Amino acid sequence: MENRRLILVTNDDGYASKGMAAAIEVARGFGRVVVVAPETTQSGMSQAITMYNPLYLRRIRQEEELEVYAFSGTPVDCVKMAFDYLLREERVDLVISGINHGSNSAVNVLYSGTMGAAIEGSFYGCPAIGLSLDDHAADADFEASVLYGRRIVGDVLAGGVPLPLCLNVNVPVGKPDELRGIRLCRQNRGFWREEFYRHEDPRGREYFWLTGEFVNMEPEATDTDEWALAHGYVSVVPVQTDMTDYARLRELRGVFGVGPAEKPAKS
């Protein structure tokens, strides 16, 4: 039955974040929801896993069609715990990661714990969606994120899209009636130019805060997620894990004198 779909929800901001409450709101309209999310903020953890420390799981909340667990690991640890332990005898229909406080557009997809969890979920043979709001404020308004999240989840669960499927969805700031709709995009090419600010603590020991500025390498391109967000659209980017540079692979055949499937000759 449709209302018995099983939706796994996780994030990188922690189980108690405002974005998690919004993600649960998105998921509950589509079936039974199980949340496995970090105890504390795990932003920037990407695909990190915990290998040398014990991990602790505790149930926070249980009610009809909803269970919430806090896990001491990373976002990817949370997904692994759900699939390989808590839900190993069940079929998960969808993974939702988010709703993140802050955009995960462009190169942020590589650093993001939110997207790390979504990508991990897609490895288990079900669709996965990373949801992010382009607002870092603690009191961020998730109304539009919930509305568009529901629409995108509904479309994905309706079927017709081959697996594996992982979507990086970013929502601009604004009320629902202020946004211009959904735009399918590619990932913007850009990078972060970091700076470390040096300070001293009361004992004279130096410490550093990392900050930085995003550098958009193609500000005029109109088919990217950065352009969509800047112009009031919800950006949807399908994500793949094959990071092979196929164009460069062809170019390098001449440099090394071998084809992609050939082994170098023995000297």
Side-chain angles (χ1 to χ4, degrees):
M1 294 178 60
E2 184 173 289
N3 64 357
R4 288 302 299 168
R5 287 192 181 111
L6 176 54
I7 314 296
L8 171 64
V9 180
T10 189
N11 70 358
D12 71 358
D13 288 317
Y15 75 92
S17 70
K18 186 175 180 180
M20 171 55 72
I24 292 172
E25 189 177 347
V26 170
R28 291 195 83 168
F30 296 95
R32 175 181 158 224
V33 178
V34 175
V35 175
V36 183
E39 283 273 7
T40 58
T41 299
Q42 296 284 321
S43 296
M45 295 302 288
S46 186
Q47 299 289 142
I49 57 175
T50 303
M51 299 178 65
Y52 302 109
N53 293 302
L55 294 168
Y56 299 92
L57 180 73
R58 63 191 183 99
R59 188 163 63 192
I60 301 296
R61 177 179 170 194
Q62 183 172 23
E63 56 192 66
E64 185 176 0
E65 298 294 289
L66 176 66
E67 295 174 71
V68 179
Y69 294 87
F71 196 42
S72 63
T74 67
V76 170
D77 288 333
C78 291
V79 174
K80 290 181 178 293
M81 165 56 68
F83 277 97
D84 298 327
Y85 181 76
L86 276 178
L87 305 174
R88 64 181 179 273
E89 302 297 330
E90 302 187 65
R91 177 180 179 273
V92 177
D93 294 285
L94 176 73
V95 174
I96 297 174
S97 184
I99 299 171
N100 191 67
H101 289 256
S103 166
N104 279 313
S105 60
V107 74
N108 292 320
V109 68
L110 297 178
Y111 300 110
S112 166
T114 297
M115 287 308 300
I119 291 168
E120 187 70 23
S122 72
F123 294 161
Y124 287 88
C126 67
I129 302 172
L131 293 173
S132 303
L133 172 64
D134 191 16
D135 190 344
H136 288 276
D139 62 346
D141 182 354
F142 285 90
E143 182 183 1
S145 297
V146 170
L147 186 150
Y148 279 95
R150 285 174 175 163
R151 174 178 166 183
I152 291 167
V153 167
D155 289 344
V156 168
L157 287 176
V161 183
L163 299 177
L165 176 68
C166 182
L167 300 180
N168 182 14
V169 178
N170 289 277
V171 181
V173 175
K175 290 291 185 181
D177 59 358
E178 297 173 331
L179 305 192
R180 301 175 68 181
I182 294 172
R183 194 172 176 100
L184 284 170
C185 309
R186 65 174 174 86
Q187 179 183 322
N188 173 268
R189 288 192 294 273
F191 60 90
W192 282 93
R193 181 63 70 205
E194 279 85 9
E195 290 186 62
F196 285 92
Y197 283 91
R198 180 188 176 279
H199 301 272
E200 289 188 1
D201 69 14
R203 297 187 178 185
R205 296 174 299 185
E206 67 177 6
Y207 67 93
F208 299 87
W209 280 110
L210 175 64
T211 186
E213 182 179 0
F214 179 72
V215 179
N216 187 341
M217 298 295 291
E218 43 184 353
E220 304 304 319
T222 61
D223 61 343
T224 72
D225 48 9
E226 284 289 316
W227 186 94
L229 288 173
H231 290 81
Y233 290 96
V234 176
S235 68
V236 178
V237 178
V239 174
Q240 64 178 5
T241 57
D242 181 355
M243 298 179 69
T244 305
D245 185 338
Y246 288 97
R248 191 71 60 187
L249 186 64
R250 291 190 295 271
E251 295 172 0
L252 288 174
R253 292 177 189 174
V255 175
F256 294 107
V258 297
E262 299 172 9
K263 294 181 179 179
K266 293 182 178 179
S267 58

